Amino acid sequence: MGHVTMGIAFSLGSISCGFADTSSVTRYRILDFIITIPLFFLISLGTEAVFSHSVLFVISLTIVSFSLFMLAVLSPRLGAIGFASILLAIYAMLLHMDGRPIWLVPMWLTGGALWYIFWQALAIYFLPNQESKDILSDLYQALAKKVMAHDHGFIFTSDNNQLFIESAQLRSQIAGLSHTLENRVHQQFTAGEDSAKLQDIYRFLTIAERINEQTRLLYFTPTSKLKQACPQWLESIHQANLKISQYLAQVTVDNVNRITTPDIDFDALRRFSVQPALQEEAIAAYAYINKLDIIYLSLLQLSQQTNEVKNSGVIKPIVISWKWNEILTKLTSQMTLKSSYFRHALRGTLSLAAGLIIVRALNLEFGFWTLMTSLLVLRPNLSMTWTRLLQRLTGTICGLIVVGGLLHFQVSSDILPFIFCIAVVLFFHTAARHYGFAVFFVTLFVFAGFSLNGQGDNIMLPRLDNTVLGVFLPLFFVFILAPGWKKKSFPIQLTTTVNGYMSYLDSLKTYIGDKSDNVTSELQRHYQDCVVNDTNLFDHWMGYLGEPHRKSQTGEHILLCSRSSNIILRILTQLNENKQSLPFDATISNDLDIAIASIQELERTLEKSQNHTELFKQISKQEKLIYQSFIYIENEIYKLDNHTLLQLLSKEVDLFVSAIQNHTA
């Protein structure tokens, strides 16, 4: 019995240490582990010491958990260590047994953390940068899906609204993966870590960003006339797209020299003869081929070795100063409800304290699962917490169904250790990517562990009951403490996005008169800000869909705004693509002035409509006209020169302004 408990404690200590391990830089990971190990032992020892004293237990849990949550103010790495330490304290509660020496469970849990560190050291030595490679693989697979998303029009009748949603979801996923990987690689470069493989990862990341930028212009839906007249040509374009997508989905840093680059004859695609009556419709197809060709040329660069890594604009990793007065000032400055750190710490502390009081008052069996569930479900806003809640419930219920099957068939105790080990491995593999799957596997892990301890038959109902209670508490406290409703914050994000478009156009106006390297870099930075802001705008819509009690009409209005913003971004992307050919003349300068004036008017209009309810009502009045504009731009953008693009931009912005103003006129 004791050996089984020790094995469970080792596994739980390893899981906690995995949550604390967030750095990509070796020396920072060592520093994090040096902090984590004694902190783990002290936190679990304190839990054991006060476990039998309910009032003292609640008071100490409240103070310690709030302090650990607030470590995130000092640095994200310390925040992760604080979170992992709270989780470890809950694991110590689960493993507590009267009569044991108070140092025994802390020693086992800390031993599990050391066991994790041992295996991580082996992984770093034998599989360097493996986590970055995994993120890079996910990034290229997402790019492959995005390229294929724009290919649906060749085969199916395309719903432009659905295509926008699918494409935007992938854009959001790609942005998250790219940002995560960029931070990891930049931290390593800044810390002096360098290797040929790390350079390859950075090169792959740079090429991925270039491909992603091209996919923003990869829009083409053939008309029925073109499909009837040129089926072979369209099939050839589709096959080229398919080959590129398949290559993107399988290429990695390790196999790039072992897999065959697709053979595509783009000149033959361009030479295809189209009837004179269909030349206008074929222009978009030629533009699509050109974009595929640019992506293909980027793919050819993947297998090229290089010893040079351009690492300009590297972000320094966050390293805290250990001056106590600065730490105190930083912490006290966040002690306000305006601080997201303080709100999150307060919600988390209240959820844990309330959970502990309920568990002790009702004497719930395995009640500390309630605290663990609350900790893992709690997110910074209502939308994310609600989504996490659904994933937790789904994963737990599915896991318990499998557990019920295992109990029904009376699975042999000889198989349980294998289920235990496999479930832990799969939990680590899915924890950062698919939380619902991670919950499913951890439920199997808990069942196997408690079955080995002779308690497997008793966990099903307590596991479900405590999960339901555990997901309710954080939802309640997020709801009453600044839930962060997406429909209320959307107008603010929309204003931020429009401001970004203004900054880009101002920078573009400077660029056409001065195409120096500094001005070019500044222009590209503003363009990337536009992309990020537009992605955040769509994420607000996704967040709204994740909230309880949403209204379909409000969701449609937020989506309409997101699509309108994306149309503006698409025009700016085409201008950014053509920026070197923009002449410094009166016509283009005047066009830019008109576009800037239109966006300034949109800014002023939005400032008057910060109330979310009024904004959505106003926009709904011109919904049909805006969608007609979308169709025109999507079909015509490839045919337009810079002068016409700028005029179209002004027209699109003016239409959006009128959609808001007409309601109040």
Side-chain angles (χ1 to χ4, degrees):
M1 184 86 68
H3 292 299
V4 173
T5 304
M6 187 178 79
I8 296 173
F10 258 58
S11 300
L12 295 175
S14 297
I15 290 173
S16 297
C17 197
F19 280 107
D21 182 20
T22 57
S23 180
S24 61
V25 180
T26 301
R27 75 167 182 254
Y28 293 137
R29 292 182 86 174
I30 293 172
L31 177 62
D32 290 349
F33 290 144
I34 290 173
I35 296 171
T36 299
I37 294 303
L39 184 60
F40 273 15
F41 184 79
L42 292 173
I43 289 294
S44 52
L45 184 66
T47 301
E48 287 284 287
V50 301
F51 189 90
S52 303
H53 310 283
S54 295
V55 176
L56 182 60
F57 197 2
V58 172
I59 294 172
S60 59
L61 178 68
T62 302
I63 295 172
V64 172
S65 61
F66 181 80
S67 302
L68 291 172
F69 274 123
M70 289 299 289
L71 286 178
V73 173
L74 304 180
S75 83
R77 285 170 33 225
L78 282 178
I81 293 172
F83 174 88
S85 299
I86 298 172
L87 183 62
L88 189 89
I90 298 171
Y91 287 154
M93 300 174 200
L94 286 168
L95 294 171
H96 176 82
M97 184 176 291
D98 292 335
R100 280 186 183 146
I102 65 170
W103 52 264
L104 190 59
V105 168
M107 185 180 71
W108 287 344
L109 289 169
T110 308
L114 291 169
W115 187 241
Y116 171 88
I117 294 170
F118 169 74
W119 284 105
Q120 280 300 305
L122 291 180
I124 292 169
Y125 182 78
F126 290 105
L127 298 169
N129 299 307
Q130 186 59 47
E131 188 172 352
S132 293
K133 291 178 187 177
D134 291 341
I135 297 171
L136 190 64
S137 177
D138 291 344
L139 174 59
Y140 270 80
Q141 289 178 33
L143 283 172
K145 291 177 183 177
K146 192 167 191 297
V147 171
M148 282 305 299
H150 298 299
D151 186 62
H152 286 178
F154 288 89
I155 309 169
F156 309 106
T157 301
S158 180
D159 181 339
N160 286 336
N161 216 35
Q162 189 57 41
L163 176 59
F164 166 75
I165 293 171
E166 184 179 352
S167 176
Q169 287 173 330
L170 289 166
R171 277 192 291 118
S172 181
Q173 182 184 354
I174 289 167
L177 290 167
S178 181
H179 178 72
T180 299
L181 184 56
E182 186 176 24
N183 280 343
R184 289 179 61 85
V185 174
H186 280 173
Q187 277 193 17
Q188 289 176 271
F189 279 136
T190 307
E193 294 187 5
D194 198 359
S195 66
K197 194 61 70 176
L198 185 61
Q199 291 178 359
D200 276 341
I201 291 172
Y202 186 80
R203 184 168 56 85
F204 266 62
L205 174 61
T206 304
I207 293 173
E209 290 171 346
R210 195 181 310 149
I211 292 172
N212 187 35
E213 187 167 332
Q214 293 301 319
T215 62
R216 295 190 193 107
L217 297 172
L218 201 63
Y219 286 86
F220 168 56
T221 303
T223 62
S224 56
K225 291 182 180 179
L226 199 61
K227 286 183 178 180
Q228 292 173 3
C230 312
Q232 292 181 341
W233 186 42
L234 295 178
E235 176 62 22
S236 298
I237 300 173
H238 165 65
Q239 288 300 322
N241 195 310
L242 188 61
K243 289 178 181 178
I244 288 174
S245 299
Q246 290 173 343
Y247 183 81
L248 279 169
Q250 63 179 325
V251 68
T252 66
V253 171
D254 293 327
N255 73 5
V256 67
N257 293 312
R258 298 197 303 270
I259 61 175
T260 305
T261 308
D263 184 17
I264 304 173
D265 189 347
F266 285 98
D267 289 335
L269 291 177
R270 294 188 186 96
R271 287 195 301 267
F272 191 89
S273 178
V274 181
Q275 300 173 14
L278 296 173
Q279 282 295 330
E280 281 291 312
E281 297 179 26
I283 291 176
Y286 288 123
Y288 191 91
I289 292 169
N290 291 337
K291 292 302 170 192
L292 282 181
D293 196 2
I294 294 172
I295 293 173
Y296 180 73
L297 292 174
S298 297
L299 295 182
L300 295 179
Q301 297 175 13
L302 290 175
S303 60
Q304 297 174 3
Q305 297 293 327
T306 178
N307 294 321
E308 180 185 2
V309 177
K310 293 182 179 179
N311 198 26
S312 58
V314 170
I315 303 169
K316 295 283 186 181
I318 301 173
V319 183
I320 69 166
S321 166
W322 291 105
K323 295 180 180 178
W324 291 107
N325 58 333
E326 293 181 8
I327 292 176
L328 187 61
T329 301
K330 200 168 185 179
L331 287 171
T332 53
S333 68
Q334 296 293 323
M335 296 295 182
T336 168
L337 278 175
K338 294 181 180 179
S339 167
S340 59
Y341 294 107
F342 180 81
R343 291 197 304 270
H344 186 67
L346 188 58
R347 294 169 186 146
T349 302
L350 290 172
S351 297
L352 295 178
L356 181 57
I357 292 170
I358 293 172
V359 167
R360 280 294 170 93
L362 301 179
N363 196 26
L364 296 178
E365 188 178 11
F366 300 112
F368 297 109
W369 275 336
T370 297
L371 278 68
M372 181 177 62
T373 300
S374 295
L375 178 67
L376 294 171
V377 165
L378 180 66
R379 298 286 101 180
N381 58 53
L382 181 62
S383 170
M384 296 173 69
T385 302
W386 180 254
T387 301
R388 192 87 162 180
L389 177 155
L390 296 177
Q391 292 170 342
R392 182 82 187 186
L393 283 176
T394 303
T396 299
I397 292 170
C398 291
L400 290 177
I401 290 172
V402 174
V403 167
L406 294 174
L407 288 172
H408 176 74
F409 291 105
Q410 297 181 344
V411 63
S412 171
S413 58
D414 295 332
I415 300 176
L416 289 174
F418 294 99
I419 296 176
F420 183 88
C421 295
I422 292 171
V424 170
V425 171
L426 291 175
F427 167 77
F428 274 115
H429 181 70
T430 57
R433 302 178 183 181
H434 309 289
Y435 181 67
F437 286 107
V439 173
F440 171 80
F441 290 122
V442 86
T443 301
L444 296 184
F445 154 75
V446 168
F447 162 73
F450 277 86
S451 293
L452 289 169
N453 209 21
Q455 297 176 286
D457 296 340
N458 304 324
I459 73 161
M460 288 190 64
L461 284 178
R463 175 78 176 176
L464 184 60
D465 291 344
N466 290 300
T467 295
V468 172
L469 177 59
V471 298
F472 169 77
L473 289 173
L475 184 68
F476 173 74
F477 286 111
V478 170
F479 187 82
I480 66 173
L481 285 174
W485 297 104
K486 291 298 180 182
K487 64 182 179 182
K488 292 184 178 180
S489 61
F490 184 83
I492 298 172
Q493 180 59 47
L494 182 59
T495 302
T496 301
T497 304
V498 170
N499 289 337
Y501 294 151
M502 169 68 69
S503 298
Y504 175 80
L505 288 176
D506 285 336
S507 184
L508 183 63
K509 187 173 181 180
T510 303
Y511 171 83
I512 62 174
D514 177 13
K515 296 182 179 179
S516 63
D517 290 342
N518 288 338
V519 175
T520 303
S521 297
E522 184 72 7
L523 178 66
Q524 192 62 22
R525 184 182 67 80
H526 283 302
Y527 173 73
Q528 291 300 331
D529 288 343
C530 291
V531 174
V532 170
N533 287 331
D534 180 70
T535 302
N536 289 340
L537 204 63
F538 177 78
D539 286 345
H540 270 66
W541 178 72
M542 291 292 292
Y544 181 72
L545 294 186
E547 291 180 349
H549 306 303
R550 61 183 181 273
K551 295 181 179 179
S552 59
Q553 189 175 27
T554 301
E556 290 172 4
H557 294 160
I558 295 176
L559 179 62
L560 180 66
C561 292
S562 299
R563 276 202 69 186
S564 190
S565 168
N566 188 251
I567 288 291
I568 294 172
L569 177 63
R570 198 180 305 178
I571 296 172
L572 294 183
T573 300
Q574 192 71 58
L575 285 168
N576 196 64
E577 189 79 0
N578 302 341
K579 61 180 179 289
Q580 292 184 347
S581 62
L582 279 171
F584 184 50
D585 59 25
T587 301
I588 292 296
S589 182
N590 185 58
D591 290 337
L592 274 171
D593 287 337
I594 294 173
I596 290 171
S598 296
I599 290 188
Q600 285 175 336
E601 180 62 26
L602 177 57
E603 283 182 319
R604 287 191 290 268
T605 305
L606 287 174
E607 287 174 359
K608 299 174 184 177
S609 307
Q610 287 296 305
N611 181 287
H612 65 278
T613 304
E614 290 301 315
L615 176 65
F616 297 139
K617 283 181 181 178
Q618 293 158 7
I619 289 172
S620 66
K621 298 295 181 179
Q622 299 294 314
E623 190 170 340
K624 291 183 179 179
L625 285 177
I626 294 176
Y627 272 116
Q628 289 173 5
S629 175
F630 290 163
I631 295 170
Y632 170 75
I633 293 172
E634 288 168 349
N635 292 336
E636 303 293 323
I637 192 170
Y638 299 109
K639 308 175 185 179
L640 307 178
D641 57 23
N642 295 323
H643 169 66
T644 312
L645 278 171
L646 285 167
Q647 288 185 322
L648 186 61
L649 175 62
S650 301
K651 179 182 177 182
E652 175 64 22
V653 174
D654 289 341
L655 181 63
F656 197 71
V657 171
S658 67
I660 301 174
Q661 290 180 338
N662 281 356
H663 176 74
T664 56

